[in-house]
């Protein structure tokens, strides 16, 4: 409601006074039409978020019956516009287990669910989940991925040292930082340069300026996880609650 009120105020403020005087009805109709479109966009994003979250929950229930009490929260849709979501190559969810009780606390195992999307995964008919591949990653797997990623992104190749560094620090644009100190600087690359490692039977990891690239072997899709998302996921796993 606050957003709609703000748009109403802005809409009337920006209307030329002469237009208001000559044709108040047409001006009001134009503003109202814009607000309907804005409202429809907000509603569409919310509906897609709920649809995607439901499908992610169903995937967990079908593929991981060992998870009997958990929280699932969306990361990818936060603050996004419809056009941004349509172009997204990955949607992410934070998952954490808990013990059922009155006012339960999220203090159990943490995992992140990735939904890697293919071209055309969103259309006028909604989300086509046949074009989404799901990957569930726990703290150990995420650490292994980050170690492999930092190894191709920098001159640091010692895995034991990297695990210790990553557990204390965070991945930023220029490398890995512990507090304010850059302890592992990344290579400086141009936007059309990639460094690749064959991570697993399903994935290749790519280092490119300011992003983590994941190549899905099965669908031959290359998806990008932005640096901000990497930081959010890493903090979820390794920062103290």
């Amino acid at each position: 409601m606050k957003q709609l009120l703000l748009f109403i105020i802005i809409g009337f403020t920006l209307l030329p006074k002469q237009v208001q005087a000559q044709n108040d009805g047409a001006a009001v109709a134009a503003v109202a039409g814009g607000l309907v479109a804005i409202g429809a966009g907000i509603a569409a994003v919310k509906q897609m978020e709920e649809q995607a979250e439901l499908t992610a929950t169903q995937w967990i229930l079908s593929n991981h019956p060992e998870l009997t009490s958990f929280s699932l929260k969306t990361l990818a849709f936060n603050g996004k516009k419809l056009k941004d979501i349509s172009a997204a190559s990955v949607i992410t969810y934070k998952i954490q287990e808990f013990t059922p009780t009155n006012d339960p606390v999220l203090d159990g195992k943490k995992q992140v669910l990735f939904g890697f999307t293919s071209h055309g995964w969103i259309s006028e008919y909604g989300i086509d989940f046949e074009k989404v591949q799901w990957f569930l990653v726990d703290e150990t797997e995420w650490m292994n991925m980050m170690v492999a990623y930092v190894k191709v992104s920098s001159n640091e190749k010692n895995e034991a040292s990297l695990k210790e560094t990553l557990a204390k620090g965070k991945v930023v644009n220029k490398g890995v930082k512990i507090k304010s100190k850059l302890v592992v600087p990344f290579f400086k690359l141009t936007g059309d340069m990639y460094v690749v490692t064959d991570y697993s039977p399903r994935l290749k990891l790519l280092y490119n300026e300011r992003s983590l690239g994941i190549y899905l072997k099965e669908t031959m899709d290359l998806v990008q996880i932005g640096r901000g998302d990497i930081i959010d996921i890493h903090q979820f796993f390794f920062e103290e609650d």
Side-chain angles (χ1 to χ4, degrees), residues 213-233:
I214 298 180
Y215 178 74
L216 308 174
K217 296 180 182 180
E218 182 179 345
T219 61
M220 295 186 292
D221 286 322
L222 175 60
V223 300
Q224 303 283 343
I225 300 180
R227 189 76 68 212
D229 292 330
I230 295 174
I231 292 172
D232 288 343
I233 294 167

Side-chain angles (χ1 to χ4, degrees), residues 46 54 110 115 122 138 149 156 177 183 190 200 221 224-225 235 238:
K46 185 63 178 177
L54 174 61
K110 296 178 180 180
I122 290 182
D138 62 11
Y149 176 60
E156 180 59 70
K177 275 189 173 182
V183 293
T190 62
S200 73
D221 286 322
Q224 303 283 343
I225 300 180
Q235 288 177 339
F238 297 106

Side-chain angles (χ1 to χ4, degrees), residues 81-133:
K81 298 178 182 179
L82 185 58
K83 65 178 182 178
D84 297 328
I85 295 170
S86 300
S89 55
V90 60
I91 49 179
T92 51
Y93 304 88
K94 296 190 297 184
I95 296 173
Q96 187 166 7
E97 297 180 60
F98 63 89
T99 301
T101 185
N102 288 328
D103 298 322
V105 176
L106 295 177
D107 55 3
K109 182 178 180 179
K110 296 178 180 180
Q111 298 183 82
V112 169
L113 178 64
F114 294 97
F116 295 114
T117 68
S118 296
H119 177 72
W121 73 286
I122 290 182
S123 70
E124 64 270 24
Y125 304 108
I127 299 176
D128 180 1
F129 287 101
E130 294 296 320
K131 296 182 180 293
V132 179
Q133 288 195 72

